[in-house]
Amino acid sequence: MTRIGTRIILVCSGLAVAGSLLAPALAAADPGGSGMLSTTCSFDQIDAALRAQAPDLAAKLDANPEKKARLQDLLNLPVDQRQQKIQEFLNTHPDAQAKMQERRNSPEFQQHADTLRAVLDSCHNY
């Protein structure tokens, strides 16, 4: 496996386990393709928008530097590669996909999803 392939597996694994912060970020990448997996914003733009609009979530991300680095690695990939790697991971890890779907149905997810949608809608301004 290539170094980038190993890194993507680590990123995906970390994102699947990240819980209330990162799972909604990925789940906000709805099938319509308007979420974090398809954004053209850079990690720095998303981070700045998150700090401005959701400082509590930015603080949670800052408190987890390893997860933050994984998210940055993922967002540094071109959109098509990012989507492909996540889809490959979900295809081979149905338990992660089931957990994400379960989280999508929770009230906590809706709160985070709305916040992340606002961040993604404004990240080009940063």
Side-chain angles (χ1 to χ4, degrees):
M1 180 174 292
T2 66
R3 183 174 179 194
I4 191 77
T6 302
R7 226 176 213 194
I8 293 303
I9 294 298
L10 290 174
V11 166
C12 294
S13 297
L15 292 175
V17 173
S20 66
L21 180 61
L22 298 181
L26 283 179
D30 59 294
S34 60
M36 189 163 294
L37 294 182
S38 60
T39 186
T40 56
C41 289
S42 69
F43 173 81
D44 290 336
Q45 288 174 303
I46 291 171
D47 192 43
L50 192 63
R51 289 179 188 290
Q53 296 182 28
D56 55 326
L57 291 179
K60 286 181 183 180
L61 190 58
D62 288 341
N64 294 286
E66 189 174 305
K67 291 175 184 163
K68 185 174 181 174
R70 288 179 183 164
L71 181 61
Q72 185 173 11
D73 286 347
L74 180 67
L75 290 171
N76 284 340
L77 292 173
V79 171
D80 59 333
Q81 288 180 18
R82 188 183 317 156
Q83 292 171 334
Q84 179 184 358
K85 294 297 181 184
I86 292 297
Q87 191 57 54
E88 288 171 2
F89 175 81
L90 292 175
N91 288 344
T92 57
H93 297 86
D95 55 324
Q97 190 166 6
K99 285 181 184 181
M100 285 177 64
Q101 185 59 43
E102 185 179 307
R103 288 187 182 116
R104 279 188 181 122
N105 297 327
S106 73
E108 296 85 11
F109 167 77
Q110 192 56 50
Q111 179 186 0
H112 288 303
D114 291 345
T115 300
L116 290 168
R117 170 63 39 228
V119 167
L120 291 172
D121 287 345
S122 67
C123 60
H124 286 288
N125 298 327
Y126 295 88

